[in-house]
Every structure is written in structure tokens, then in C-alpha cells.
Amino acid sequence: MTDGGQSSQLAALEKVLLDETADPVDLPFSLLSSITGNFSEAQEIGRGGFGVVYRGVLPSGRTVAVKQLFERYDILDKNFESEVTCLAGVKHKNTVRFLGYCSETQQVLMPYDGKCVLADVRHRLLCFEYMPKGCLADYLSDASCRLQWTTRYQIIKGICEGVHYLHQQRIIHMDLKPQNVLLDDNMVPRIADFGLSRRLSGSKSRAITDHKLGTMGYMAPEFLISGEITFKTDIYSLGIIVMEILMGHKECSSVKEVVESWTDMFGTSNSHTSLEQVKACAQIGIECKNYYPGKRPATWFIIRGILGDVEILNWPVTSDVGTSTERMS
């Protein structure tokens, strides 16, 4: 690519970074390589089962995150297509902003059987807004428990809002876990990593798969047993995350246990409102973790029915909000 061509692509990336209404742009591999220092280890900020995430620094000094997918032919194209199609059009304050993508195949001289041959090397990359506070998992594993309750509550509320938005878009995330919840400068949570996500057509409410990919400890029982995928698959994962935010671990038997564990921490000052929030969040976590999908609450009920009871959220009425008899639908 010429200097002029790369300059125009940089300008396009800067534009979408600054304009939250802009659509993601097609980016050349050479540009993404350049801003990450040729994918330098020093720029690496995360690594998962499907790729590595690097910090990319633009000439303006602004920072982005660049995810380079591993070149495994059995997963590369499928996961790349899944992530791009799910992220296209997703714009919400609790989902990571998708800035651009790269899909290129180059012919490169490589040694083979004692001689050099031309081989196809495929590059599949995604570019996102950079989240300076890292992922939620970093804070849950912190023995000092430095997250105050108000911050924890805002994170729980934000994740619930983000999952609700995704489900309104007919997207099932399929890999909700603390490592896939990023935090911005203000500790606002952003759901990330849509490589395993499914978007259901308007007429479908479930899907079945033989490929049970995900993270143990966060996958719903019915998915592990039969490969069944519904919106309640995400709800189970959400429940696990909420309990980890509340207690620092996944195991908990009752709302009472959670409330009691926080009572001593709050003391006597301004504890009533906080304990009501703790109680509401514990109810969310335990109900979402129910073994039976039909008994897990829908996202609208979590937000309006449970969090709404503590008068924190003021959600507008939308057409997808059901009656009390439809709580679990």
C-alpha cells in the first residue's frame, strides 16, 4: 500500500474511533501491523483460545485494540465471520465498540521439503476501542478486594443492560465470562469477544450444535448435555458472573448468605440502600444459575423487575417487555 493509501486508511480509523455513530471500516493488514509494532510481544495485552490482542498506537497518540485470530483452518473463517456479523451494527454503552476488520490472504515464500514454495497465509484481524482498565477478571482475582460496592453494583447493572441489548438484537453471546467483560476509564463494563456468538433469525428461539465450545464453569448445563442454545444459555453465564462479583467465587446457596456476608462490610452507615442492592443482585445471580432454563429470568425482568425494585434503573417501556406471567419467556 502507498503512503497515501495508508494515510487515508488511518484517517478512516481515526474517524470511526472519534465518531460513535460511524460504521466499522475495512483495514489493510499492513496498517494493523504498523500500529502494533509488527505484532510485538511488548504490545500484547491479552491472549485467548482463538487469538491474541495487541495494543495499537495511532500517529495521533490514540490507542486501539487489535485482535489477531490464530490461523487454524478449522476455526479461523467461522469465528471471524461470526464475530464480524454479530458486531456489525452493535452499538451500546455496555458492548465494546467495533472499529474495523481485516481479511487478507497473501502468498509468502516458505520452506517445504527442502525448497521454497509459495504458500497462502491468511490474515483475519479485528480492531476495537481500547479499554484501559483491562478485564473484570483482573479485579475479581484481586485479594485486596479493591472494588467498592458502588462500583460492583454499577458493573453488574451494566453487564445486565449489555446482555439485554444483545438479546434484543437476537444475539446470544455464548461465552460470557469475566475475561470477556472489559472496563473503560470510568469502570463501565463493555461486553467483548463475540467469536462464539450466534444471531438467531426472528422466527427462531433455539439452535442445536455438536460443537460445544466455551469456557467450563460458565456454560449452561443444557448446552453441555445436548448442545441446545437459547437466550437462557447466556442467562446462566450471567448468573455465574454476578455471583463472582458479589462473593469472589461461583458457589453460593442463598440470598441470605450473600446479604450476611456484606452486612459486616457495610457497618451501620448508609447500609440500607446498599444491602437492598446486594439482595437484588444476589437474587439475580441465584435465579440465573437455575439448572432448568425455563426457571431462569429473562433480561427484561432482571432489569425492570429485580433491579427496578431498588429504584436504580429507569428503563423506558419497549415492545418486547412482557407481563408478569411472561417473566421466564
Side-chain angles (χ1 to χ4, degrees):
M1 173 177 288
T2 64
D3 289 343
Q6 183 154 307
S7 296
S8 65
Q9 294 292 340
L10 275 169
L13 180 54
E14 289 272 9
K15 180 179 184 298
V16 72
L17 182 59
L18 295 174
D19 182 0
E20 294 188 3
T21 66
D23 293 325
V25 293
D26 186 4
L27 299 168
F29 177 74
S30 58
L31 185 153
L32 297 176
S33 177
S34 174
I35 64 175
T36 58
N38 196 25
F39 305 103
S40 163
E41 286 187 11
Q43 297 292 89
E44 185 177 323
I45 55 177
R47 180 177 291 262
F50 301 116
V52 183
V53 182
Y54 298 89
R55 182 185 294 105
V57 182
L58 306 183
S60 65
R62 297 186 180 93
T63 306
V64 296
V66 178
K67 178 179 179 181
Q68 184 178 39
L69 297 182
F70 295 136
E71 191 182 357
R72 286 172 49 191
Y73 284 82
D74 57 332
I75 64 167
L76 180 61
D77 287 333
K78 183 177 180 180
N79 285 80
F80 179 77
E81 181 181 354
S82 172
E83 192 148 10
V84 169
T85 54
C86 281
L87 283 168
V90 169
K91 292 182 173 67
H92 188 267
K93 62 185 177 64
N94 296 118
T95 61
V96 68
R97 283 189 60 217
F98 179 40
L99 306 177
Y101 56 91
C102 170
S103 177
E104 290 184 15
T105 300
Q106 298 178 332
Q107 285 198 316
V108 179
L109 278 173
M110 301 182 70
Y112 177 77
D113 199 19
K115 55 186 176 182
C116 288
V117 297
L118 280 173
D120 286 343
V121 176
R122 302 183 305 163
H123 303 297
R124 304 291 184 268
L125 303 101
L126 303 160
C127 185
F128 300 97
E129 184 179 19
Y130 177 68
M131 293 289 107
K133 297 294 187 181
C135 71
L136 177 60
D138 296 336
Y139 296 84
L140 299 182
S141 61
D142 182 6
S144 69
C145 299
R146 54 190 165 131
L147 289 183
Q148 298 297 315
W149 169 248
T150 53
T151 302
R152 296 191 200 208
Y153 183 79
Q154 293 301 317
I155 290 172
I156 290 172
K157 185 175 71 170
I159 297 171
C160 290
E161 290 187 29
V163 175
H164 178 67
Y165 169 80
L166 293 175
H167 288 186
Q168 285 183 312
Q169 306 303 308
R170 309 290 297 168
I171 295 172
I172 305 173
H173 187 278
M174 293 301 300
D175 198 19
L176 290 172
K177 57 184 178 180
Q179 290 83 352
N180 288 340
V181 176
L182 306 181
L183 300 164
D184 70 9
D185 269 325
N186 298 313
M187 298 296 285
V188 173
R190 308 286 190 94
I191 298 171
D193 201 338
F194 289 74
L196 298 180
S197 299
R198 297 287 191 97
R199 187 191 290 269
L200 298 182
S201 65
S203 61
K204 289 187 177 181
S205 61
R206 66 193 290 267
I208 299 291
T209 183
D210 293 327
H211 303 287
K212 299 171 185 176
L213 299 175
T215 304
M216 291 302 297
Y218 298 92
M219 291 187 283
E222 69 278 6
F223 177 68
L224 285 170
I225 294 168
S226 63
E228 182 182 27
I229 299 170
T230 69
F231 293 107
K232 298 301 177 72
T233 307
D234 278 351
I235 299 299
Y236 182 87
S237 307
L238 175 63
I240 300 293
I241 294 172
V242 170
M243 296 314 300
E244 286 189 280
I245 295 172
L246 287 170
M247 302 293 284
H249 54 78
K250 302 179 179 71
E251 298 77 20
C252 183
S253 59
S254 69
V255 173
K256 180 181 177 182
E257 180 185 343
V258 177
V259 173
E260 286 178 350
S261 73
W262 277 93
T263 301
D264 293 340
M265 297 175 63
F266 288 137
T268 57
S269 59
N270 301 320
S271 63
H272 178 72
T273 299
S274 296
L275 283 174
E276 286 299 309
Q277 293 173 349
V278 168
K279 182 179 179 181
C281 292
Q283 183 183 348
I284 291 168
I286 289 171
E287 291 191 13
C288 288
K289 284 174 53 182
N290 197 296
Y291 181 86
Y292 300 101
K295 293 186 177 180
R296 298 174 203 151
T299 54
W300 73 262
F301 183 82
I302 291 170
I303 293 165
R304 294 181 63 86
I306 302 177
L307 294 179
D309 285 345
V310 290
E311 299 181 348
I312 298 298
L313 293 175
N314 183 24
W315 276 69
V317 176
T318 57
S319 58
D320 72 318
V321 175
T323 64
S324 59
T325 59
E326 299 171 322
R327 168 184 170 183
M328 300 300 176
S329 63

